[in-house]
Amino acid sequence: MVIKKAALSLSAMLIAAPAMAGVMFTNGGFENGNLDGWQFSSDGGTASYVSATAGATSFASSGNGGLSSNLVTPGADPIVGINRTYGGSYGVRTGDSLAWGYSGGGTIYNRIRQTATVAAEADGSAGFLYFAWAAVEEISGHSTTSTPFFQVSVRNNTQSSSIYNVQHYETDGGAWVTAGGWKYSANSNPSDPLGWNVVGLDLAALGVNVGDSLTLEAIARDCTPSAHAMYVYLDGFGGTPPVQGVPEPASLALMGLGLAGIGMARRKKA
């Protein structure tokens, strides 16, 4: 794993992050209910990115009859039990539980990416970039580079540099939690939900300037010789911290009452 770090814990991000978003990905939390704004590739090793049809909720795999990427809603992953989303009503899963198989031309890579330009915060700075990811892989028992593999990265295209790069094989110690014949990603922060890793990048501290072009990419690759599967959940890309979970209607009502009470108290004090 290689990370050029200027990342904060989520609690610190909520306190320290600017109120305005410095970089905004189109449909970054997938809350439009579709895959608009993103590009996809399902390939045997050489990426060939295309956009899904407008309004599409899935992008087909090129080799196993499954889905290379698809929109997901909150709920438990049917294999390892972690939540399929970090927050909001939607997230995305890249890769699926179907392996490429021993025929079809080789290892299958499922990829998702988007490029965005860094806009100035209210104070003129480059601001922050936040996102959340979780990875799931089928245990293969192969040697290191033949096992399932995933990567989540952010590249500064303007400066030809990497500002975030996490990648793991099955055999990487400390990266996984075993669940039956599968594994899911270990938490980098104990406060994150099972399997999920929440990232906050201080762009200015990483040398990113206003106007720079950033590309975020996630790759889920099945094992070689390709009989074991790999997939990654993604959510909450943007300039403000992602909010965990979906508040129940009762919780929203209580929140509204609380805010109303605060307002009344302030008026009385005035």
Side-chain angles (χ1 to χ4, degrees), residues 6-10 13 128-131 164 198-203 206:
L8 306 174
S9 69
L10 184 58
M13 291 190 289
F128 285 70
L129 171 61
Y130 303 93
F131 53 93
Y164 182 85
V198 185
V199 180
L201 302 179
D202 184 340
L203 298 180
L206 289 165

Side-chain angles (χ1 to χ4, degrees), residues 93-109:
R93 183 187 68 182
T94 293
D96 59 22
S97 58
L98 301 175
W100 177 277
Y102 287 96
S103 62
T107 304
I108 190 168
Y109 288 74

Side-chain angles (χ1 to χ4, degrees), residues 33-57:
N34 53 48
L35 300 177
D36 291 359
W38 295 86
Q39 290 186 310
F40 308 90
S41 179
S42 177
D43 57 78
T46 302
S48 180
Y49 276 102
V50 296
S51 298
T53 303
T57 59

Side-chain angles (χ1 to χ4, degrees), residues 74-75 83 85 87-89 243-257:
N83 203 334
T85 62
S89 300
V243 178
Q244 183 182 343
V246 180
E248 297 295 330
S251 300
L252 289 172
L254 288 172
M255 186 184 299
L257 288 172

Side-chain angles (χ1 to χ4, degrees), residues 20-199:
M20 299 289 288
V23 56
M24 292 295 291
F25 284 86
T26 301
N27 193 18
F30 305 96
E31 293 304 296
N32 289 354
N34 53 48
L35 300 177
D36 291 359
W38 295 86
Q39 290 186 310
F40 308 90
S41 179
S42 177
D43 57 78
T46 302
S48 180
Y49 276 102
V50 296
S51 298
T53 303
T57 59
S58 65
F59 182 79
S61 167
S62 64
N64 65 9
L67 296 175
S68 178
S69 287
N70 68 290
L71 205 69
V72 293
T73 55
D77 177 272
I79 297 176
V80 299
I82 67 172
N83 203 334
R84 295 188 299 253
T85 62
Y86 180 79
S89 300
Y90 301 100
V92 76
R93 183 187 68 182
T94 293
D96 59 22
S97 58
L98 301 175
W100 177 277
Y102 287 96
S103 62
T107 304
I108 190 168
Y109 288 74
N110 295 298
R111 312 174 198 249
I112 183 172
R113 76 176 182 186
Q114 188 177 152
T115 298
T117 300
V118 179
E121 296 275 0
D123 62 2
S125 70
F128 285 70
L129 171 61
Y130 303 93
F131 53 93
W133 60 264
V136 179
E137 66 105 10
E138 186 177 8
I139 297 173
S140 69
H142 298 320
S143 59
T144 299
T145 57
S146 295
T147 66
F149 165 86
F150 82 93
Q151 181 178 26
V152 180
S153 64
V154 182
R155 182 167 181 80
N156 187 327
N157 306 309
T158 304
Q159 301 186 33
S160 300
S161 62
S162 172
I163 63 172
Y164 182 85
N165 185 20
V166 171
Q167 49 188 346
H168 284 300
Y169 292 95
E170 174 186 313
T171 53
D172 290 347
W176 303 101
V177 176
T178 300
W182 293 70
K183 293 184 177 183
Y184 61 84
S185 47
N187 298 82
S188 59
N189 188 328
S191 66
D192 293 340
L194 285 178
W196 283 89
N197 291 263
V198 185
V199 180

